[in-house]
Amino acid sequence: MSLLHLAIIAPFILAFFVPFFYKKIKAVHTGWFVLILPAILFAYFLRFLPAVKNQGAIQETVNWIPSLGIDFTAYVDGLGLLFALLITGIGSLVVLYSIFYLSKAKENLGSFYVYLLMFMGAMLGVVLSDNLIVLYTFWELTSFSSFLLIGYWYHRERSRYGAQKSMLITVFGGLAMLGGFLLLYFMTGSFSIREIISQAGDMTGDPFFIPALILVLLGAFTKSAQFPFHIWLPDAMEAPTPVSAYLHSATMVKAGIYLVARMSPVFAEEGTWFWLVSIFGIITLVWASFNAVKQTDLKAILAFSTVSQLGLIMSLLGIGAAALHYTQLNDNIYMAATVAAVFHLINHATFKGSLFMVAGIVDHETGTRDIRHLGGLMHLMPITFTIALIGTFSMAGLPPFNGFLSKEMFFAAMVNVLSLDIFNLETYGVLFPVLAWVGSVFTFIYSMILLFKTFTGKQPAQKWEKKPHEAPLGMLLSPIILAALVIVFGLFPNILSASIIEPAADAIMPAFAEAGQAFNVNITMWHGFSAELYMTIAVVVVGLFLYVFLPKWKHIYNIFPKKLSLNALYDQGLVRTEKISKNMTNAYMNGSIRSYMIYIFIAFIGILSYSMIEKKAVSFELSNLAPIGVYEIVLAIIITVASITILFAKSRLTSIIALGAVGYTVALFFVLFRAPDLALTQLVIETVSVALFLLAFYHLPKMSRKEERIRFKMASAVVSLGVGVVVTLIALSAHNNKLFDSIAQYYIENTKEQAGGANMVNVILVDFRGFDTMFEIAVLGIAALGIFGMIKLRLSRRQDG
Amino acid sequence: MRKTNDLILQTVTKIVSFMIFMFALHIFFAGHNNPGGGFVGGLLTSGAIVLLLLAYDLKTVAGSLPIDYKILIAVGLLFAVGTGLGSLVFDVPFLTHAHDIFTLPILGETHLHTAVLFDIGVYLVVVGTTMTIIQTIGENE
């Protein structure tokens, strides 16, 4: 167990102690105890920066289930470290923010911090695991802890709805991903991502390769809220705002991004990967930014905005995969897409985190998050306004903030698609820059809505619940730090490039690092009059125009019917599934034993006849049969007549007596076939059971004693005939397929000699196979005690009176 | 209702049930070499008791045969399992039987077999089972 493992597990350990702090030390807000850990972890992970830059990666292994190839291997490379820093850094800020956001008196802080720490540990585990099964374990832990956090205010119906929805969708994806991981294991024989990457070239022709790719992508898309699985994210906004800021903007939703980036070296050579990742990413970008404009809730806007930005990063990762097809190029322009993805990942975490915190402050100070009831807060909350301005302008992609840089790089990458000459991109490639541009226009519009509808204009007519004023400093501290980072990264982007972006991009595209083509990331604010600059200018102009005339064209959102939305589809799907499965269950589990017997017998006939026909086992060899005597024929006729009498008798009494006749005839058969012990027993037992039948008959209730024939049912007749035919066929065929001699010879020889008896049947029963007899008499005893218990202990009837 | 007189039935029963009982014992002991054994012997014994039940009534029979048949089941099972466990004492597998010819004081040369002990278990369980069932149902109102 190395220090690195301890760092990953530390949040779980602390989570264990949080309730003690919460219960024992009531004077201090529990969050202060929690805050220490992510801060220490952040500092700890910062120390990896030089090592990762120089050596590439650090690996530590602890055995977990070595026999199955599952070991807890912690692997820190540029990508993992970037995420670990995000998780711990933003984690510390979110914990700090939550200390002031959540009231000590009103909220159950113990659970909150336990869930949050569980989530933090799980997320660290996801990004720092080299083993796929360990990764999956932590992945599901993030789903669970996210479920708990979304449902934190579990007395609200919407919270429970959102929690369930996110659970269903992310767990669906998680399980698909597990399937993909298992397929990867079948192909490579290893769960280690390193190992799999080293064998990536051998897998391309494998029939499992594409299914594995699609399953892994399903996991990534559901977690990262890509179209059409993005619907859970807006409903997850019922969580407390620190949770939204942490999970649903900076960390958990980027787990899918992480997975795509991590798996790029395995799958990126494949054209399907390029298409799926970039197309789904760009569709998500446009669809979500388009939908964000119509939202009225601050957090809903931010949720759709997150979805669209995740789509942006995803599409960049997809385009980045194209770089692998041009390895011969010295200055690979497609590599820029990967760099842009990494850079925007960082930027998005900073500005989106601060914006969520701003939304939380506005909510906290005014009591509403609805932009229709907000306005004119600029003078009341100047600091919050400044932070919001920085965040929204960065999100819209305006200089001098970091969003501008990554947006420029995004446009550059999308324009570069035009020069691709693979996968038919000569014809369809133009879609990418166009869609990217449209998405950016909508991004600009909702960013402006977010800022100006909240902070400028007139204050609304009706008063807010509280008198708004500037938030306390503690609450502002975290968003101020994040907003400061937005500006710092915007003005000096290169402090990031050498230390973290390059190693991360190396980890995503190891093919280049191995080839020694170390690329230098150099992000500059001004890079001449290029296509992307004109695109940005056009975005601003068109965006401003559309924003000003928003009321004029807003009704186009009503064209699209609500019934056809993805949410309605999900809700309807859930209701339908429940209804269909209920109907199905009710249709066949009808409570009638007759039906169940029919199912059982039909299955019996079906399986047996199929296997007999399939194996060609039916045979009618008649050569080795014994001669049939007169007595046998007579007895067979008697037994047949008696059996038919049972079926067609009008009176139950007749049936009972006919059954007795069958039993006695069987005893006669035993005599005929020389089985005196059986004959004796059969005679006595038949007598007893007929007496018991008569007893049961005598006690039938008078009401239902009405004597009538068994009603004829076609289905029953067919099934019973089928069973009879199948059993007869099996008996005949089995008789003709005797593969080995009987072991009876042994008993004939040894009954007298070894067991000292002459009655072979009895010797077998008590000596050779006495064990069976012992349990058969146990069965008899149990039956007797059961009858005794049933008759003597009638508690319920006695209670009924 | 006038009480019927079962004199003939009861008198015949007195003799016949004894004969059935003897026959049952015969069948039981003959079991190892001739048709029969614990199972049929037990059933016939219960037959004799049932005949008594038919001729008299539950109370009378319970008075003359004061047996709790549920305990009989337990004793029978103990015999069967005990026989099996006994073989473990002699370091042979469970339920290994032994038999030999002994010279006993009165009976002379006798063939004794541990399987008989096992069969006694079967016999007792069968008697216990049938009688428990019949008695329970008979007592039920």
Side-chain angles (χ1 to χ4, degrees):
Chain A
M1 189 88 155
S2 63
L3 197 59
L4 184 57
H5 286 102
L6 192 68
I8 297 171
I9 306 211
F12 294 105
I13 299 170
L14 182 62
F16 187 75
F17 291 105
V18 161
F20 295 102
F21 290 128
Y22 178 60
K23 294 269 178 207
K24 295 290 168 204
I25 309 172
K26 288 207 192 300
V28 185
H29 195 285
T30 318
W32 291 111
F33 300 110
V34 178
L35 179 60
I36 305 162
L37 181 74
I40 293 175
L41 288 179
F42 184 69
Y44 172 72
F45 284 118
L46 272 183
R47 282 179 46 243
F48 281 93
L49 274 175
V52 164
K53 185 172 161 48
N54 298 329
Q55 301 163 21
I58 292 133
Q59 190 165 337
E60 300 273 2
T61 304
V62 167
N63 282 355
W64 183 21
I65 316 174
S67 57
L68 297 179
I70 300 171
D71 291 313
F72 187 6
T73 304
Y75 181 83
V76 186
D77 62 353
L79 186 65
L81 185 60
L82 164 65
F83 273 90
L85 286 173
L86 275 180
I87 291 159
T88 50
I90 301 207
S92 331
L93 295 176
V94 161
V95 171
L96 178 67
Y97 177 77
S98 70
I99 291 171
F100 294 92
Y101 186 84
L102 292 172
S103 145
K104 195 168 67 180
K106 288 181 202 151
E107 306 287 358
N108 182 5
L109 292 173
S111 328
F112 181 80
Y113 287 110
V114 168
Y115 302 157
L116 199 71
L117 281 170
M118 264 170 62
F119 171 77
M120 192 182 289
M123 203 62 211
L124 278 177
V126 167
V127 299
L128 295 178
S129 294
D130 182 52
N131 192 290
L132 287 176
I133 296 299
V134 178
L135 191 152
Y136 171 74
T137 310
F138 283 119
W139 184 279
E140 292 296 18
L141 270 174
T142 66
S143 293
F144 287 137
S145 46
S146 157
F147 168 79
L148 291 169
L149 284 166
I150 296 169
Y152 177 63
W153 287 313
Y154 50 80
H155 51 273
R156 294 186 190 167
E157 201 269 329
R158 293 294 307 170
S159 292
R160 298 199 302 271
Y161 171 79
Q164 187 203 34
K165 193 174 188 178
S166 73
M167 184 74 161
L168 286 176
I169 293 178
T170 52
V171 168
F172 158 73
L175 285 175
M177 188 182 80
L178 178 64
F181 287 173
L182 291 177
L183 289 182
L184 280 175
Y185 178 72
F186 292 144
M187 286 187 284
T188 62
S190 170
F191 280 124
S192 160
I193 299 175
R194 293 302 104 201
E195 287 268 323
I196 292 170
I197 289 174
S198 69
Q199 298 183 36
D202 312 334
M203 280 191 288
T204 29
D206 202 293
F208 285 155
F209 187 65
I210 297 288
L213 185 157
I214 290 169
L215 287 173
V216 169
L217 273 187
L218 255 178
F221 283 177
T222 50
K223 197 77 162 182
S224 273
Q226 297 296 298
F227 185 88
F229 307 111
H230 65 274
I231 48 173
W232 67 266
L233 190 60
D235 283 302
M237 290 301 128
E238 293 301 322
T241 304
V243 172
S244 310
Y246 189 38
L247 273 70
H248 306 128
S249 74
T251 52
M252 189 180 87
V253 288
K254 294 202 170 105
I257 303 275
Y258 168 80
L259 188 71
V260 168
R262 184 54 92 202
M263 288 295 168
S264 278
V266 182
F267 295 117
E269 285 274 8
E270 179 66 40
T272 321
W273 175 270
F274 170 87
W275 275 115
L276 284 176
V277 177
S278 46
I279 286 287
F280 272 94
I282 204 99
I283 290 176
T284 310
L285 164 70
V286 174
W287 179 251
S289 60
F290 174 71
N291 272 300
V293 174
K294 76 171 174 187
Q295 305 300 324
T296 54
D297 181 275
L298 280 182
K299 277 175 87 175
I301 299 178
L302 288 173
F304 276 104
S305 149
T306 303
V307 174
S308 107
Q309 306 274 320
L310 291 169
L312 187 157
I313 301 173
M314 201 62 99
S315 66
L316 281 172
L317 284 175
I319 305 285
L324 285 175
H325 298 269
Y326 295 93
T327 35
Q328 74 285 1
L329 289 182
N330 214 11
D331 182 26
N332 200 318
I333 48 172
Y334 307 110
M335 198 57 209
T338 307
V339 173
V342 175
F343 188 44
H344 194 71
L345 184 81
I346 303 168
N347 293 342
H348 177 250
T350 55
F351 67 70
K352 192 53 65 64
S354 72
L355 282 177
F356 266 111
M357 291 176 187
V358 163
I361 290 171
V362 169
D363 185 16
H364 211 264
E365 296 304 324
T366 63
T368 179
R369 293 194 315 245
D370 196 325
I371 51 170
R372 288 168 299 186
H373 303 141
L374 289 169
L377 286 171
M378 188 164 66
H379 304 294
L380 295 167
M381 305 162 83
I383 304 175
T384 315
F385 169 69
T386 315
I387 299 164
L389 180 109
I390 295 168
T392 46
F393 276 28
S394 177
M395 184 159 73
L398 298 175
F401 307 108
N402 57 8
F404 170 70
L405 299 171
S406 45
K407 176 89 28 123
E408 293 290 280
M409 291 161 78
F410 168 60
F411 282 153
M414 290 298 155
V415 171
N416 282 338
V417 173
L418 291 175
S419 57
L420 279 174
D421 52 6
I422 43 172
F423 316 136
N424 292 332
L425 276 169
E426 308 86 12
T427 36
Y428 301 112
V430 70
L431 268 176
F432 282 95
V434 169
L435 284 176
W437 185 81
V438 172
S440 297
V441 170
F442 282 107
T443 306
F444 184 85
I445 298 170
Y446 71 68
S447 301
M448 295 307 115
I449 292 174
L450 196 65
L451 181 68
F452 292 117
K453 297 266 183 203
T454 314
F455 290 100
T456 62
K458 274 184 289 188
Q459 290 189 11
Q462 80 263 44
K463 282 277 170 263
W464 292 303
E465 285 172 34
K466 306 163 185 171
K467 180 128 183 67
H469 56 79
E470 191 55 83
L473 178 68
M475 215 168 184
L476 287 170
L477 207 55
S478 300
I480 286 175
I481 294 172
L482 285 172
L485 284 177
V486 169
I487 297 177
V488 170
F489 292 161
L491 295 177
F492 312 103
N494 287 318
I495 56 168
L496 287 174
S497 55
S499 55
I500 189 72
I501 294 179
E502 277 174 20
D506 267 343
I508 299 172
M509 290 285 151
F512 296 93
E514 276 163 28
Q517 287 174 296
F519 53 93
N520 284 318
V521 177
N522 196 15
I523 304 163
T524 49
M525 185 70 91
W526 177 254
H527 34 71
F529 291 100
S530 52
E532 50 265 33
L533 186 66
Y534 297 124
M535 282 168 83
T536 304
I537 293 169
V539 164
V540 174
V541 172
V542 176
L544 268 180
F545 177 78
L546 284 174
Y547 171 68
V548 171
F549 294 104
L550 183 62
K552 302 253 189 261
W553 58 273
K554 213 172 176 183
H555 61 266
I556 64 154
Y557 283 107
N558 301 330
I559 296 171
F560 196 69
K562 242 197 170 115
K563 263 192 178 163
L564 287 176
S565 73
L566 285 166
N567 264 325
L569 200 72
Y570 164 85
D571 290 335
Q572 283 300 310
L574 216 56
V575 172
R576 289 263 164 79
T577 318
E578 266 177 33
K579 204 182 266 173
I580 289 171
S581 44
K582 192 180 159 203
N583 288 345
M584 266 174 66
T585 311
N586 284 347
Y588 77 91
M589 297 298 281
N590 54 8
S592 146
I593 292 183
R594 181 180 172 268
S595 310
Y596 302 156
M597 296 302 266
I598 295 249
Y599 306 150
I600 293 170
F601 283 128
I602 285 177
F604 178 89
I605 296 170
I607 294 167
L608 287 178
S609 52
Y610 172 77
S611 50
M612 282 213 298
I613 293 165
E614 183 66 24
K615 299 277 176 199
K616 301 194 173 53
V618 188
S619 66
F620 293 101
E621 184 80 30
L622 297 175
S623 58
N624 57 351
L625 294 183
I628 303 170
V630 183
Y631 296 116
E632 282 104 324
I633 294 174
V634 172
L635 286 182
I637 290 172
I638 294 174
I639 213 167
T640 314
V641 169
S643 305
I644 292 173
T645 313
I646 296 173
L647 288 180
F648 292 98
K650 190 166 178 249
S651 148
R652 288 197 171 89
L653 207 56
T654 320
S655 292
I656 293 171
I657 290 165
L659 188 65
V662 170
Y664 290 131
T665 321
V666 169
L668 282 180
F669 263 117
F670 287 146
V671 171
L672 203 59
F673 292 140
R674 282 167 290 170
D677 293 273
L678 287 182
L680 267 175
T681 314
Q682 172 69 21
L683 269 175
V684 183
I685 284 293
E686 191 60 39
T687 311
V688 172
S689 57
V690 166
L692 288 176
F693 269 121
L694 287 172
L695 189 75
F697 171 77
Y698 180 74
H699 285 290
L700 276 178
K702 290 263 184 310
M703 292 283 286
S704 60
R705 239 183 186 177
K706 204 172 53 175
E707 308 240 308
E708 64 181 37
R709 236 179 269 284
I710 300 176
R711 259 176 296 150
F712 181 77
K713 292 198 185 72
M714 197 60 203
S716 309
V718 170
V719 168
S720 56
L721 272 178
V723 171
V725 168
V726 166
V727 169
T728 312
L729 282 180
I730 288 179
L732 285 175
S733 311
H735 178 73
N736 291 324
N737 283 315
K738 273 185 188 151
L739 298 177
F740 305 104
D741 287 337
S742 164
I743 56 165
Q745 198 57 39
Y746 171 83
Y747 291 125
I748 295 170
E749 282 162 10
N750 289 301
T751 302
K752 187 80 197 169
E753 205 152 304
Q754 291 198 359
N759 180 354
M760 197 166 74
V761 174
N762 204 32
V763 167
I764 290 175
L765 281 179
V766 300
D767 200 340
F768 289 126
R769 313 212 27 197
F771 204 60
D772 296 350
T773 311
M774 196 174 85
F775 286 104
E776 275 151 22
I777 58 176
V779 167
L780 282 180
I782 291 167
L785 294 181
I787 288 171
F788 181 78
M790 273 200 301
I791 289 175
K792 294 284 175 184
L793 302 172
R794 278 181 296 191
L795 296 174
S796 64
R797 196 178 293 179
R798 208 168 291 162
Q799 273 163 7
D800 291 346
Chain B
M1 202 174 86
R2 210 163 66 86
K3 196 173 178 296
T4 50
N5 194 340
D6 294 336
L7 185 65
I8 295 175
L9 178 65
Q10 289 178 350
T11 315
V12 171
T13 300
K14 274 177 196 162
I15 303 159
V16 170
S17 67
F18 189 70
M19 284 160 66
I20 301 176
F21 191 66
M22 283 295 118
F23 182 60
L25 280 185
H26 166 74
I27 281 244
F28 169 71
F29 281 113
H32 217 57
N33 295 314
N34 293 305
F39 202 85
V40 184
L43 283 175
L44 283 174
T45 309
S46 340
I49 304 174
V50 168
L51 186 60
L52 284 174
L53 282 174
L54 289 175
Y56 299 93
D57 57 293
L58 280 169
K59 247 184 211 151
T60 320
V61 177
S64 53
L65 284 174
I67 301 167
D68 187 344
Y69 295 105
K70 296 188 291 300
I71 292 175
L72 215 57
I73 298 175
V75 173
L77 285 172
L78 258 174
F79 260 96
V81 177
T83 316
L85 288 175
S87 65
L88 295 180
V89 177
F90 299 97
D91 205 20
V92 284
F94 186 71
L95 261 180
T96 308
H97 289 302
H99 64 94
D100 210 342
I101 297 170
F102 296 92
T103 316
L104 295 179
I106 303 166
L107 297 168
E109 265 195 8
T110 316
H111 187 189
L112 292 183
H113 200 309
T114 51
V116 176
L117 292 175
F118 187 81
D119 233 6
I120 287 175
V122 176
Y123 176 87
L124 291 178
V125 170
V126 170
V127 174
T129 301
T130 33
M131 288 322 295
T132 308
I133 293 173
I134 288 166
Q135 215 171 36
T136 321
I137 295 175
E139 278 171 5
N140 182 40
E141 296 302 310

